[in-house]
Structure formats: C-alpha cells, structure tokens
Amino acid sequence: SCDVLFYFAGLGCGTLAVLEENEAGIVLLRSFDWNDGLFDVTWSENNEHVLITCSGDGSLQIWDTAKTKGPLQVYKEHTLEAYSVDWSQTRGEQLVVSGSWDQTAKLWDPAVGKSLCTFKGHEGVVYSTIWSPHIPGCFASASGDQTLRIWDVKAPGVKLVIPAHQAEILSCDWCKYDENLLVTGAVDCTLKGWDLRNIRQPVFILLGHTYAIRRVKFSPFHATLLASCSYDFTVRFWDFSKPNPLLETVEHHTEFTCGLDLSLHNRGQV
C-alpha cells in the first residue's frame, strides 16, 4: 500500500489525517487533532510510521501512525506560525528544517528535544524551507522578503541570496536531477528557475497562473517536468525544456489550491 497524507488548516484547530491506498480505494488509516491549524507535514526518512507537522502556534509535532494518540513530542520554539517543515533527503543524516513567520528557519534532530541551530537573515515571513536532495546539510528558503536563500547547516550565515521575484515568494523546490537548479513560485503569478552557478538571470520563466502560486514541485522522474498549484484554483504541469512549456491545466478544484506533491512510487500520481 502507498501511504498518502492530507492535512487541514482550520480556524483554531487542525486535523492530521493519514490515508492509505488499497484495493478498496483511499481509506482513513488514522486521524490526529491539534489545537491550532496545521500548515505543513513531512514524512520521516528513517521510519515509515513517523511524521512531523508544524502549526499556527509556532510548534512542531512528531506523530506515530502506529499509535492511536499523539503527538509523541512537541517542539515549541518559533515565536509565530511555523509554516514549513521538511525532513532531509540525503543518506546518513536525520535532520529536519522548519520555517516560520518569525522570519527564521530552525534546524532540528528529531532525537533531540530542542533545535540545533537558528538561521536568521530573512526580512519577511519564511514560507518554504526545502532540503537539497543532493547536497548534505544544504537547504533553500523562500520568503516574503522576495528572496530565495541557500543555507549550509555547517556554516552560520547565509550561503547565497537570490532576489528572485519582485513579490512575495511562497514556494521553492530543488530539481531531483541537477543539484544547481531550483524553482520558485510567487505572488506575481510566475515560476522561475534558478541555476546557483549564475543567479543574474533566471534560466526559465513560466507564465500562465492568474493568481499567486502557492506550491511548486519538481518531478521525481523527469528532469524538466514540474507541477504547481495556485490561488487561481488550478494545478498546472510544465516542461520547461519545451517551446510551449505549459503541458496541462487541471481545473478540478473549486477553491484555493494550497498544496500538492508527486508520488515517488507511481509516475502518474499527483
């Protein structure tokens, strides 16, 4: 079976629903409640039952789907909404990064009860914090201060600052096939590709969304394929190597489209 995840950020309370796909379709495996909205979620990379959420009260929660009650652990250090959380993808390290409206990113080892490090530099809300799938200890952050920043956990300061948009940047992601390539999605309705070896110009700009882009994800299977979703209610698929990069626009939502991901197991599943 393929575990799927869904989270709901409501007014005043949040629910984490863990879903399982089997012959009968998609069924609810486990449900957990938290006393504030849940904004993001990440699966553990070393335990199939463990995941971490982050919430409107600034805390991170560790949950175990093998247990009926939770959370196992709560980390409360951010002073405003914790908006982004991601578990490291590279082998040999189990690190979590979180981003907050308090303008900081924090580094966590899930086995340690407090953060290992706080990254300061952004001058606006940190909306997105994403680990590099290639470079150990390296993550990117996207912010309301209109910059994309690259950090190294072994060094205290910011490694690279990219003034990527003239608008708030709500999302970023790393290419799975090129360690120097990232994409950003912003309130200006554009997606931009960035090569870390030359940040003067974007390597691509994708136009089509009519409202702010809330999340963008590179394909795990194709080097030039990506997906995005937006406050314009649509999900769009792109191939930035093509002259007409917009492959498809999916209009099945009737409200803001706030999150999406691409399955690592099934090439066609989003």
Side-chain angles (χ1 to χ4, degrees), residues 15-47:
T15 304
L16 172 68
V18 183
L19 308 170
E20 187 170 62
E21 191 177 30
N22 58 28
E23 296 74 36
I26 294 174
V27 294
L28 183 66
L29 187 70
R30 190 77 80 222
S31 178
F32 300 104
D33 290 328
W34 186 247
N35 55 16
D36 212 314
L38 298 175
F39 290 130
D40 201 7
V41 63
T42 185
W43 281 103
S44 163
E45 292 293 324
N46 70 342
N47 184 330

Side-chain angles (χ1 to χ4, degrees), residues 179-194:
E179 66 177 35
N180 291 299
L181 185 62
L182 292 98
V183 63
T184 51
V187 172
D188 63 9
C189 310
T190 69
L191 295 160
K192 293 185 181 182
W194 300 96

Side-chain angles (χ1 to χ4, degrees), residues 202-224:
V203 288
F204 62 81
I205 300 176
L206 304 176
L207 305 170
H209 280 296
T210 55
Y211 283 94
I213 294 160
R214 181 62 188 271
R215 185 153 293 190
V216 58
K217 287 282 175 183
F218 268 106
S219 165
F221 296 107
H222 302 279
T224 59

Side-chain angles (χ1 to χ4, degrees), residues 43-54:
W43 281 103
S44 163
E45 292 293 324
N46 70 342
N47 184 330
E48 65 182 285
H49 300 295
V50 171
L51 43 92
I52 298 183
T53 51
C54 61

Side-chain angles (χ1 to χ4, degrees), residues 142-170:
S143 169
D145 67 10
Q146 308 181 358
T147 67
L148 171 70
R149 296 179 188 229
I150 310 298
W151 310 81
D152 180 350
V153 301
K154 295 175 283 296
V158 64
K159 198 170 163 185
L160 195 57
V161 180
I162 302 168
H165 296 257
Q166 290 182 309
E168 290 197 297
I169 307 170
L170 304 185

Side-chain angles (χ1 to χ4, degrees), residues 45 66 69 72 115 130-131 158 175 197 222-223 229 258 267-268:
E45 292 293 324
K69 295 273 189 287
L72 300 179
S115 66
I130 305 285
W131 288 106
V158 64
C175 178
R197 294 161 300 188
H222 302 279
C229 67
C258 294
R267 282 171 179 260

